[in-house]
Amino acid sequence: MLRYLLRRVLYAVPVLLGVSLATFILFYGIFPPEQIARRNLSAKNPTSQQIQEWLVAHDYNHPLPQQFKKHMTELMLLRFGRSDSTGEEIWTRIKTGAGPSTIIAGLVFTASLATRLFFALWSAYFRATYVDTWITLVSVFLMSVVYIVLVIAGQYLMGKVLRLFPLAGYQSGWTAFRFAVLPVIIGVISGLGGGTRLFRTFMLEEMNQDYVRTARAKGVPESRILFVHVLKNAAIPIITSTVLAIPALMLGSLVLESFFGIPGLGSYTVDAINAQDFAVVRAMVFLGTLLYIAGAILTDVCYALADPRIRLE
Amino acid sequence: MALLKVENLRTTIRTRNGLSRPVDGVSFEVEAGQTLAIVGESGCGKSMTALSLLQLVPEPAGRIQSGHVWFEGRDLLGLTWEEMRPLRGRDMAMIFQEPMTSLNPTLTVGQQIIESMTVHRTARGKEAHRRALESLERVGVRATAMKQYPHELSGGMRQRVMIAMALVNRPKFLIADEPTTALDVTVQAQILSLISELQKETGMAVLLITHDLGVVSEVADKVAVMYAGQIVESASARELFAKPLHPYTQALLASLPSRSRRGRDLATLEGRVPEATAWPAACRFEQRCLHRFAACALHAPKEAPPEASHPARCHLYDPQFNTTKVAAQPLVTRPSRIGTNTDGDSGSAAQTGQQGSRALVEVRGLTKDFPVRGSILTRAQYQRAVDDVNFSIPRGRTLALVGESGSGKSTVGLMILDLLDPTGGEILLDGRPVSARRGPDRFALRRQMQIVFQDPYASLNARMTVREMLHEALGVHSIGTKGEDRENRAGALLEDVGLSRSALDRYPHQFSGGQRQRIAIARALSVNPKFIVLDEPTSALDVSVQSQILNLLRRLQQEHDLTYLFITHNLGVVDYFADEVAVMQRGKIVEYGEANTLFDAPQQDYTRNLLSAVPTVVQ
Amino acid sequence: MLDWLSNLFPVLVVVVGFWSVRRALRQPLWAEAWRRLKANRLALIALSVIGVYALVGFCDSIAWRNDKNANSLSLIDRAFSRPAEPTYSAPLANKTFGEPTPRALQGRHLLGTDGTGQDVVYLTLKGCRTALIIGGFTLLIATPLALLLGMLAGYFGKRVDDAVQYTYTVLDSIPNILLLIAMLLVLGRGLPQLCVALGITSWVGLCRLARGETLKHREREYVRAARALGISHGRILMHHILPNLLPIIVISVTLGFSGLVLSEAILSYLQLGVAAGTGSWGNMIDASRLELARDPVIWWNLAAASAALFILVLAFNLFGDALRDAIDPRLNS
């Protein structure tokens, strides 16, 4: 197990190198620092003097090879430097933003998994009846709604019309949950359609396997077949699909946090986009990749725990 | 009173092409302690009959329409799903064809056996554990398997586990649906004898579903032959094999390859089983029957009265229609159209063998290693799949490469054709090494050797018409001129393999399995090869179609002076077809020699085991 | 001259589209799939809805200028453009909305007007072309790239496979939205930039699919038989493997289309969508963010854009599902 983990982490190194190379090409090759300076400087037609000063101030004034070395080593050592627009240390913002983001994303993730599983099991148990038909139909409808519309309409309906939750804002401590409820509900609903449908497909696929026929021939009750035999096998593709949910989770935190004014990493990124803050976006891309890779490794471990055919060696 | 009595069972399945009737009025009886075998080709409704008994037909498309299934005096078809459940697995158990997929991969063997008891409350806790161990021990599986998962066991062991699971509640009735089809022949023999032993011990009745007449003749007391959703003949096993009445049964038996039929054509059944969505209104076998007469196309043959000891659903035995009162003569195998030699033992191929003394194909020290696991960090490990294989095939003769699954026989075939690089050794064609050739020389080699694969569904490209396939083959090697000439050649190739020219415009899915195999053979012949590797060419086919293909291959060999490497696990086919035999085990050739000698006096234990495990029809 | 060229392109797209569909329908697989689709009423409705959107998009692409100095106007501009009102107005109202002293309007508007006084029906229709271009051009970029690399990797294996797999593993480990943000920040706002960025993020899934399927088919006996006949690798890839991959590729492209249209809306929210001047549903939705906070609320802008988007995406989802059911996967083996 430990050896497996070590190997997976080692495998991640070339991928991370590739990612930082890709960001280098994007941020230095395609879009050189002079352009960044131009966009960041408030003056409409900055002189070359001003640009040079800005480059020196933000440590961009190196020839390309040196810049490359600096970029690669700093990213790999997780030294993200300072923000282009505010000059603030990026790590300090990451530290303050991590808390709220973890709460929102963690709640959305667990609540999503639970609701999807619930509806998918419901659908599979009542397969080929009107319950199943309705769940499938509603799922397709939900899948077709734009995320943003859901957020806007959800806030309007639950916050403004029904006055159930605070419209936006955030406080640390236990009151955080009061502010988290609305974004979390909307986050869960947004992924419910696609998730339920996917999980339902996994379960129905398992329902058609030979071992289900064996269980029926043994006289195992239908409910036990679904909850023991099928669920245990469907868990394998379900776990795999949760890796795919990680990017969606990040998208969710971007939109939800900025919309509901939650001071997490998502809001930070959206602010950086608006401020044309390339240093922050670069750091966020790398951090997001790290999280994704960590999630993928974690998923593989869960996968091996769920499937006895896979051994971690 | 019979333990199980089925009356007029009808099951339908809704399909895209309409209502399918795989079980269409089936009646039979099984006594306690007896084995009834239902035998027939694929698509005849055997498996659906078995599933109908336990009401396990696939929902919601499948439906049992009518009939009765009397079990210990109760009509099971009157029971609801929940009322039926206590009987399943307790009084009536079932085992399936694929032991790989029929066990739950995420539960241990012990959990699955114990579950059989707990759901019926026949035992629980320590008692259930003890009984599970006991039943595993009885079927010859070690006790440590309790904590193992199905994938950690071999195919044979898994089928034993299935049996242990089915029998742990001591059912009165066991349904075995093709229980040995997926297994190697030696394992098959073990499983069959295990079922018989357990049957003697417990006195249960067994319903065996199979397509293998050899298996039937080894284990069945009674046999019911099924064709097109109906039982067409039933009798005691001995009587059925001694005196088959129905023309279908006769044809099935006559199409079995064996040494005594060597050098002669096998009997064949032309055509195919009609679609279950549209059974013919009159006799369902009429189209393929060699004994048909006028009445057959007009009336459906009546079911024989239940008290008859050997009923056959055929007009030949109905005095109302067959007024001449002449019973059908069992089919005899027709003498070959080509071979003048009707003496079975020395085939005509032996003569050609004398003419061409030099070997066409020679294999020396052939070895192949496959990497088992290898990555950047760990050193690659290799497994030897083929280990120092040597043989030679004289021009115009057939060498059979025999072995169980995983013995490396197909790998040898692929290496000879240069489709897989050997790790070591040499392959000579006409005295020149194959793998040393490069460029155009290597390309020219393709014209001299070809291959025919096992699965006629996978070996043809589903998106190409037969014309496109044959034209492509001719085109690559610039055979003939574009247009009419190639069109004629393609047509002639099809006629050569017994298909009409009209087949050119069609796609593979419009053909039956046997027809597809003919197309694959036509494609191989298109470049006029000297040597063809036949990689299990009949294993995926029903016996009646197998005989058609074997007849065709034999004729083509003589007409085109072909040399064959026949890769197979079917020893009956080898005994009928091959001049020489090489027996492979774990990558090595353990015995190699002239076919008759090898079969009469096998020198190695492995060969002896293999031969004794083959179930044979005693006629 | 330029008008003529830019009008030729949409015509060409339609002609080539029709031609390939007609050719495909001659193949039994597609003919059979079409026969099943025709029996599915929901699929037909979905297909006609897509057809209507396509027609609007096509009409919006046919444009010419009245005189040399004027902007070129499309058929949609000519038919639906209305003179601008001063500001918001409710559907079918005759006065402006939300002003202390409402002013009279120049005309009535079925779905009202937005903050700049533009007719909402017209804006919604203009969004059609943008959505179709985003979906269509992105797939036009991504699909050939994905197929080429995926098939080469799956068929030849070894080094080629390593290189392709490494490339898409790197791309795939950057969460899509972050990669999109990074690229669009660098490339700037605009329709072509959006298509390129979405193309780069969306080819990975298709490529993985194509690679996996090719890997499966490479081991199939029909490919081995073709190799035994000496048929070249290129021909095996193009004539044997590609036609067998097409059904699964077509299904996944159809289902992928709706995802692309949806991402435009999200990117517009992040101020990374198409330029503000280009009519797009994403921009309309983004603009309506604050309108719901007003009292009384302005709902028509949001409703029109999200309904137009919802119906198109729903139609694609339903049609994709029907297509998947119609192309019997069992025919593939």
Side-chain angles (χ1 to χ4, degrees):
Chain A
M1 181 77 166
L2 212 67
R3 272 190 59 186
Y4 172 82
L5 274 179
L6 200 72
R7 225 180 51 220
R8 276 304 307 261
V9 171
L10 277 179
Y11 276 137
V13 172
V15 174
L16 282 173
L17 279 173
V19 170
S20 47
L21 178 68
T23 46
F24 182 81
I25 293 172
L26 208 56
F27 288 115
Y28 293 89
I30 298 175
F31 202 71
E34 287 84 53
Q35 299 279 354
I36 303 178
R38 260 178 230 280
R39 282 209 203 166
N40 269 279
L41 285 167
S42 43
K44 267 197 180 155
N45 286 314
T47 61
S48 58
Q49 173 83 29
Q50 280 172 310
I51 290 177
Q52 269 311 310
E53 275 167 16
W54 192 90
L55 288 179
V56 172
H58 292 86
D59 211 14
Y60 283 123
N61 59 330
H62 305 288
L64 212 57
Q66 249 179 314
Q67 199 73 260
F68 177 69
K69 221 172 107 189
K70 178 168 163 285
H71 170 89
M72 294 299 266
T73 47
E74 285 191 343
L75 274 191
M76 294 315 266
L77 295 172
L78 297 181
R79 275 192 257 144
F80 295 140
R82 290 169 185 283
S83 148
D84 281 349
S85 55
T86 60
E88 197 181 7
E89 189 70 49
I90 293 177
W91 261 112
T92 54
R93 278 301 297 271
I94 291 177
K95 276 179 204 153
T96 54
S101 283
T102 314
I103 290 176
I104 300 284
L107 284 175
V108 170
F109 180 77
T110 41
S112 287
L113 201 62
T115 45
R116 287 170 191 189
L117 216 50
F118 176 79
F119 283 110
L121 279 168
W122 202 249
S123 199
Y125 191 75
F126 291 104
R127 66 190 171 283
T129 67
Y130 71 97
V131 179
D132 182 29
T133 318
W134 273 104
I135 291 179
T136 317
L137 205 69
V138 172
S139 296
V140 178
F141 270 69
L142 267 182
M143 272 170 72
S144 311
V145 180
V146 203
Y147 200 106
I148 305 299
V149 172
L150 213 65
V151 174
I152 297 175
Q155 190 199 34
Y156 174 71
L157 199 72
M158 286 188 271
K160 202 175 165 199
V161 179
L162 300 174
R163 293 177 190 283
L164 289 175
F165 310 104
L167 273 179
Y170 192 77
Q171 279 169 348
S172 55
W174 284 109
T175 40
F177 287 95
R178 213 165 64 84
F179 290 96
V181 175
L182 187 54
V184 168
I185 287 179
I186 290 171
V188 169
I189 290 176
S190 72
L192 194 57
T196 303
R197 240 169 69 105
L198 193 67
F199 285 15
R200 174 182 172 273
T201 319
F202 292 152
M203 289 190 198
L204 289 188
E205 241 159 54
E206 291 299 325
M207 281 288 200
N208 288 326
Q209 298 295 316
D210 286 350
Y211 68 81
V212 171
R213 194 179 56 185
T214 309
R216 287 200 180 119
K218 260 161 62 172
V220 180
E222 279 300 292
S223 56
R224 190 179 156 83
I225 288 178
L226 183 64
F227 285 103
V228 176
H229 289 261
V230 168
L231 193 58
K232 237 182 144 178
N233 282 280
I236 297 160
I238 285 176
I239 288 171
T240 319
S241 76
T242 48
V243 192
L244 304 174
I246 296 173
L249 219 56
M250 294 194 185
L251 167 70
S253 53
L254 279 183
V255 175
L256 289 173
E257 286 180 14
S258 67
F259 196 86
F260 289 101
I262 294 160
L265 297 177
S267 298
Y268 189 32
T269 314
V270 174
D271 292 342
I273 297 169
N274 292 334
Q276 301 278 320
D277 194 331
F278 287 72
V280 173
V281 171
R282 206 161 51 216
M284 285 305 159
V285 167
F286 200 75
L287 193 68
T289 309
L290 272 181
L291 285 175
Y292 180 81
I293 291 175
I297 294 176
L298 201 68
T299 308
D300 276 3
V301 173
C302 294
Y303 187 74
L305 292 178
D307 190 346
R309 283 164 295 189
I310 306 232
R311 252 183 282 149
L312 298 183
E313 266 171 7
Chain B
M1 195 185 73
L3 178 71
L4 180 97
K5 186 175 179 181
V6 175
E7 285 177 349
N8 209 14
L9 184 68
R10 284 174 205 278
T11 302
T12 58
I13 294 178
R14 267 187 286 117
T15 69
R16 277 191 166 149
N17 303 320
L19 196 68
S20 155
R21 303 171 190 280
V23 184
D24 203 23
V26 165
S27 307
F28 59 85
E29 283 181 18
V30 194
E31 312 274 347
Q34 201 182 42
T35 300
L36 169 71
I38 297 186
V39 68
E41 294 177 288
S42 50
C44 283
K46 311 183 295 285
S47 284
M48 205 49 75
T49 306
L51 290 173
S52 300
L53 299 186
L54 286 179
Q55 294 183 35
L56 286 176
V57 290
E59 303 260 356
R63 221 176 101 86
I64 300 172
Q65 296 289 357
S66 62
H68 301 281
V69 177
W70 301 101
F71 181 71
E72 294 187 305
R74 261 212 294 180
D75 187 1
L76 300 186
L77 293 189
L79 302 181
T80 64
W81 178 270
E82 271 305 302
E83 287 168 340
M84 186 69 202
R85 200 170 61 72
L87 272 89
R88 293 193 195 112
R90 202 185 65 194
D91 297 327
M92 308 170 82
M94 186 160 180
I95 54 178
F96 300 95
Q97 174 176 351
E98 288 289 341
M100 310 274 176
T101 55
S102 294
L103 288 168
N104 189 328
T106 57
L107 296 174
T108 62
V109 165
Q111 284 172 327
Q112 298 191 51
I113 299 178
I114 289 171
E115 187 187 42
S116 285
M117 290 175 271
T118 50
V119 293
H120 294 295
R121 298 201 172 81
T122 48
R124 50 193 282 202
K126 284 215 175 90
E127 167 70 5
H129 190 82
R130 192 185 56 74
R131 278 179 58 183
L133 267 177
E134 226 175 72
S135 68
L136 273 184
E137 196 186 326
R138 180 60 201 90
V139 297
V141 179
R142 58 190 183 280
T144 47
M146 281 288 279
K147 287 202 173 65
Q148 285 184 304
Y149 290 95
H151 73 274
E152 295 167 308
L153 305 173
S154 68
M157 282 294 151
R158 275 179 233 170
Q159 198 59 296
R160 283 166 195 265
V161 168
M162 278 293 288
I163 294 171
M165 196 166 77
L167 299 188
V168 72
N169 288 326
R170 303 206 157 246
K172 296 170 189 135
F173 186 61
L174 176 71
I175 303 170
D177 186 0
E178 304 262 12
T180 57
T181 307
L183 304 174
D184 275 324
V185 57
T186 48
V187 184
Q188 161 168 296
Q190 294 163 8
I191 296 288
L192 290 175
S193 66
L194 176 66
I195 295 177
S196 305
E197 276 170 41
L198 290 165
Q199 185 179 21
K200 282 200 192 82
E201 278 171 35
T202 63
M204 67 180 174
V206 174
L207 177 68
L208 177 72
I209 308 286
T210 184
H211 68 278
D212 189 332
L213 290 161
V215 168
V216 173
S217 110
E218 300 251 313
V219 301
D221 301 312
K222 265 174 52 182
V223 186
V225 180
M226 207 166 165
Y227 185 80
Q230 296 174 328
I231 288 177
V232 293
E233 178 171 6
S234 57
S236 72
R238 187 177 302 167
E239 197 177 330
L240 187 101
F241 288 113
K243 193 179 153 234
L245 293 181
H246 199 282
Y248 177 60
T249 319
Q250 293 172 355
L252 278 185
L253 288 169
S255 64
L256 288 176
S258 69
R259 181 164 342 153
S260 57
R261 288 173 181 153
R262 210 176 241 251
R264 284 184 281 174
D265 271 353
L266 296 166
T268 59
L269 268 170
E270 299 305 329
R272 61 209 275 193
V273 182
E275 292 294 324
T277 46
W279 298 131
C283 176
R284 295 179 183 185
F285 187 61
E286 188 259 338
Q287 289 286 317
R288 307 171 78 187
C289 183
L290 290 175
H291 296 294
R292 63 167 176 254
F293 51 94
C296 297
L298 300 171
H299 307 277
K302 278 200 285 287
E303 200 172 4
E307 61 277 5
S309 70
H310 187 167
R313 191 181 269 222
C314 178
H315 288 136
L316 287 175
Y317 308 103
D318 189 336
Q320 192 193 332
F321 291 107
N322 194 354
T323 46
T324 55
K325 309 242 176 198
V326 180
Q329 292 298 308
L331 280 165
V332 284
T333 50
R334 289 160 296 172
S336 164
R337 273 180 283 157
I338 318 119
T340 46
N341 192 346
T342 46
D343 180 5
D345 278 345
S346 58
S348 49
Q351 299 169 334
T352 45
Q354 288 160 0
Q355 295 159 7
S357 54
R358 215 183 83 197
L360 178 73
V361 178
E362 213 175 332
V363 170
R364 291 189 199 141
L366 194 63
T367 302
K368 177 73 190 176
D369 291 339
F370 283 115
V372 180
R373 200 183 65 209
S375 65
I376 310 163
L377 298 177
T378 55
R379 194 185 298 162
Q381 293 176 333
Y382 290 95
Q383 190 175 11
R384 188 143 285 195
V386 176
D387 193 0
D388 191 22
V389 162
N390 298 284
F391 58 76
S392 63
I393 317 173
R395 197 179 295 276
R397 304 199 63 177
T398 302
L399 171 73
L401 198 55
V402 184
E404 297 187 287
S405 54
S407 58
K409 50 190 195 304
S410 288
T411 312
V412 171
L414 292 177
M415 284 193 286
I416 292 179
L417 276 171
D418 201 15
L419 292 175
L420 197 67
D421 292 327
T423 309
E426 226 184 355
I427 300 154
L428 304 173
L429 182 76
D430 256 344
R432 293 184 56 207
V434 165
S435 51
R437 304 186 191 204
R438 288 281 167 269
D441 199 19
R442 194 176 188 182
F443 183 67
L445 188 75
R446 300 291 186 200
R447 280 189 69 165
Q448 302 188 39
M449 1 193 251
Q450 278 302 309
I451 186 163
V452 174
F453 290 102
Q454 169 177 0
D455 186 351
Y457 292 83
S459 65
L460 301 179
N461 186 346
R463 302 275 168 273
M464 276 181 147
T465 60
V466 175
R467 170 179 289 112
E468 284 166 344
M469 280 177 218
L470 294 177
H471 276 255
E472 183 181 46
L474 294 169
V476 196
H477 289 279
S478 320
I479 299 170
T481 50
K482 216 170 175 173
E484 207 173 329
D485 181 35
R486 280 198 192 136
E487 185 72 12
N488 284 334
R489 279 170 194 265
L493 278 167
L494 284 184
E495 278 164 7
D496 208 10
V497 296
L499 292 171
S500 73
R501 273 168 195 259
S502 64
L504 277 173
D505 283 314
R506 288 194 274 163
Y507 285 87
H509 73 264
Q510 293 167 293
F511 298 96
S512 68
Q515 287 172 320
R516 286 187 217 204
Q517 206 59 310
R518 287 173 192 269
I519 295 167
I521 293 170
R523 182 179 55 189
L525 284 178
S526 64
V527 294
N528 241 327
K530 293 181 198 155
F531 172 61
I532 299 183
V533 173
L534 304 165
D535 191 354
E536 305 260 13
T538 60
S539 300
L541 306 173
D542 280 318
V543 276
S544 66
V545 184
Q546 165 172 290
S547 60
Q548 295 172 12
I549 298 295
L550 289 177
N551 288 345
L552 172 67
L553 288 171
R554 231 168 51 78
R555 177 169 65 77
L556 292 172
Q557 180 167 40
Q558 298 186 348
E559 285 178 4
H560 298 275
D561 191 23
L562 292 169
T563 308
Y564 289 150
L565 175 66
F566 201 117
I567 299 171
T568 184
H569 68 273
N570 187 331
L571 291 163
V573 172
V574 174
D575 212 358
Y576 165 75
F577 203 87
D579 302 309
E580 286 170 327
V581 181
V583 181
M584 264 187 104
Q585 185 198 15
R586 287 195 218 105
K588 286 194 167 109
I589 289 187
V590 290
E591 193 160 358
Y592 175 35
E594 209 269 321
N596 289 341
T597 335
L598 191 138
F599 275 91
D600 290 338
Q603 299 298 308
Q604 300 292 322
D605 284 346
Y606 180 71
T607 318
R608 264 188 290 256
N609 279 340
L610 209 60
L611 287 173
S612 67
V614 178
T616 41
V617 177
V618 187
Q619 287 184 45
Chain C
M1 181 64 195
L2 216 68
D3 278 357
W4 183 76
L5 257 181
S6 69
N7 286 338
L8 188 69
F9 191 71
V11 175
L12 214 64
V13 167
V14 170
V15 169
V16 169
F18 265 104
W19 180 75
S20 8
V21 167
R22 274 203 50 184
R23 241 189 89 123
L25 286 182
R26 265 188 248 145
Q27 293 240 338
L29 171 93
W30 298 106
E32 179 68 14
W34 174 236
R35 200 180 59 76
R36 293 210 188 96
L37 271 182
K38 271 198 295 193
N40 182 344
R41 198 185 306 163
L42 200 61
L44 283 188
I45 294 172
L47 190 62
S48 2
V49 169
I50 296 172
V52 170
Y53 276 79
L55 187 69
V56 173
F58 178 74
C59 290
D60 202 16
S61 303
I62 300 295
W64 66 93
R65 51 190 90 205
N66 287 348
D67 64 80
K68 270 188 182 162
N69 301 322
N71 283 334
S72 88
L73 296 170
S74 74
L75 284 171
I76 294 289
D77 292 328
R78 287 163 199 273
F80 291 93
S81 182
R82 296 293 178 79
E85 305 294 348
T87 180
Y88 288 113
S89 70
L92 295 175
N94 52 9
K95 290 198 175 78
T96 57
F97 182 87
E99 287 183 313
T101 49
R103 285 172 275 175
L105 297 179
Q106 300 173 26
R108 300 228 171 177
H109 302 272
L110 187 64
L111 285 173
T113 57
D114 73 348
T116 57
Q118 296 244 57
D119 183 63
V120 173
V121 172
Y122 170 67
L123 286 175
T124 310
L125 288 175
K126 290 294 278 182
C128 233
R129 176 168 176 263
T130 312
L132 291 176
I133 286 180
I134 286 169
F137 274 70
T138 304
L139 290 172
L140 224 55
I141 296 169
T143 314
L145 184 75
L147 271 179
L148 181 74
L149 292 182
M151 282 172 66
L152 289 179
Y155 187 77
F156 289 108
K158 294 180 189 155
R159 295 255 168 80
V160 188
D161 193 21
D162 288 344
V164 172
Q165 275 206 69
Y166 177 71
T167 313
Y168 73 57
T169 310
V170 166
L171 275 181
D172 211 26
S173 32
I174 309 175
N176 260 355
I177 185 71
L178 292 175
L179 185 58
L180 279 174
I181 288 171
M183 281 191 291
L184 288 170
L185 207 55
V186 164
L187 298 174
R189 295 182 76 153
L191 204 50
Q193 288 94 320
L194 205 58
C195 289
V196 169
L198 284 171
I200 288 174
T201 53
S202 57
W203 71 276
V204 172
L206 269 176
C207 182
R208 192 168 270 167
L209 184 74
R211 176 183 168 271
E213 287 293 307
T214 309
L215 216 58
K216 251 196 308 194
H217 281 279
R218 185 182 70 169
E219 300 302 323
R220 290 263 168 90
E221 291 173 344
Y222 77 88
V223 173
R224 286 206 165 133
R227 279 182 54 207
L229 278 168
I231 294 165
S232 66
H233 292 311
R235 198 179 157 86
I236 288 178
L237 275 172
M238 292 308 294
H239 287 254
H240 290 260
I241 294 180
L242 184 63
N244 280 288
L245 294 195
L246 271 185
I248 193 159
I249 295 294
V250 167
I251 291 167
S252 101
V253 161
T254 313
L255 289 171
F257 194 97
S258 47
L260 291 170
V261 177
L262 287 177
S263 32
E264 187 262 335
I266 288 165
L267 289 170
S268 296
Y269 169 82
L270 297 174
Q271 312 303 321
L272 294 169
V274 295
T278 320
S280 94
W281 298 324
N283 282 342
M284 284 172 77
I285 292 170
D286 184 44
S288 68
R289 244 197 299 172
L290 296 173
E291 292 168 0
L292 282 188
R294 291 170 60 139
D295 200 30
V297 292
I298 293 163
W299 51 267
W300 47 89
N301 223 340
L302 178 69
S306 42
L309 191 49
F310 174 75
I311 291 168
L312 179 64
V313 170
L314 185 66
F316 261 105
N317 281 341
L318 291 175
F319 182 70
D321 279 355
L323 193 65
R324 182 168 47 196
D325 292 344
I327 299 174
D328 192 344
R330 274 169 296 178
L331 270 180
N332 285 334
S333 56

